[in-house]
Amino acid sequence: FVVVALAYLTIFTFALDELVAFATDDAPEGSEFPAADTLSAFLAVAHYVLLGVAVWAISWDGFHGPWEKAGLFAAFGIFFGQVSNSNAHELIHRSSRGLHGLGAWVYTSLLFGHHTSAHTRIHHRFIGTMDDPNTARLGESFYAYAIRAWGGSFKAGLEIETSLLRRRDGKVQVWRHPYVGYLGGSVVVLLCAAAIGGTGGVLA
């Protein structure tokens, strides 16, 4: 089943994308998938179920050996990176507060909650410039980019959110700061992981 999961997430989905592109015409410009919001909300809820299963399966279940756990880590990692992350991106662009918040919480569960602020308030404004930490530099390796982008977007998002609160309220009321939710939510997720699998759960 581990091999099937990996094959499905890589070979099968790639082949399906190629077949669908070959067999169908492009959708009209500006057209929307009618059930997009419902599907996105379902995927966000499913993400949390799968995250718990992943932590359990990788950290301490008695059914899988080391190689199987490595395969599960890769399969779940691909799903969370390609499906959950992309879905969260779509959700934080929704005008509905509920859907936007759902996207933020998916990012938060991946210890990436600050991307909610950094993407919409920094990346959209400064994309392609040196002021955008999420724009890769010419010749930059992926690993150098990943470290710089994560830290840079955390700092830039924190600064802009703090500035907006100060401008709106005259001072920063900590309890209203979105970073309290991002960081507090990440701590809750890590505590849940510890409850599921101890130290191994947190590492997973």
Side-chain angles (χ1 to χ4, degrees), residues 28-152:
E29 184 67 32
S31 65
E32 287 286 341
F33 176 50
D37 287 349
T38 304
L39 177 59
S40 282
F42 171 80
L43 286 171
V45 173
H47 162 83
Y48 274 93
V49 176
L50 290 172
L51 189 59
V53 170
V55 169
W56 171 77
I58 294 165
S59 62
W60 68 271
D61 84 67
F63 304 107
H64 302 98
W67 285 108
E68 290 169 313
K69 289 185 178 188
L72 285 170
F73 184 85
F76 278 117
I78 291 168
F79 183 87
F80 296 141
Q82 293 186 350
V83 178
S84 294
N85 179 71
S86 301
N87 186 48
H89 171 262
E90 292 304 314
L91 286 168
I92 65 170
H93 284 293
R94 294 294 190 262
S95 56
S96 160
R97 284 176 61 109
L99 292 175
H100 177 87
L102 198 54
W105 276 101
V106 170
Y107 274 135
T108 298
S109 74
L110 297 172
L111 312 184
F112 199 44
H114 65 271
H115 188 68
T116 306
S117 294
H119 180 77
T120 54
R121 300 193 186 282
I122 303 295
H123 180 67
H124 279 208
R125 182 177 175 190
F126 298 112
I127 186 169
T129 71
M130 296 296 282
D131 292 324
D132 176 28
N134 284 306
T135 294
R137 310 294 184 240
L138 185 63
E140 186 175 32
S141 76
F142 167 78
Y143 299 100
Y145 164 77
I147 293 168
R148 181 184 59 75
W150 198 99

Side-chain angles (χ1 to χ4, degrees), residues 190-203:
L190 290 173
L191 289 174
C192 290
I196 292 170
T199 304
V202 173
L203 292 173

Side-chain angles (χ1 to χ4, degrees), residues 125-190:
R125 182 177 175 190
F126 298 112
I127 186 169
T129 71
M130 296 296 282
D131 292 324
D132 176 28
N134 284 306
T135 294
R137 310 294 184 240
L138 185 63
E140 186 175 32
S141 76
F142 167 78
Y143 299 100
Y145 164 77
I147 293 168
R148 181 184 59 75
W150 198 99
S153 62
F154 183 95
K155 181 174 180 286
L158 179 62
E159 288 173 352
I160 192 89
E161 292 289 8
T162 302
S163 173
L164 288 170
L165 280 174
R166 189 171 285 124
R167 190 180 315 155
R168 186 179 65 195
D169 301 333
K171 61 180 179 178
V172 177
Q173 297 174 326
V174 175
W175 61 273
R176 294 188 68 177
H177 204 296
Y179 269 62
V180 172
Y182 305 152
L183 296 174
S186 293
V187 170
V188 169
V189 168
L190 290 173

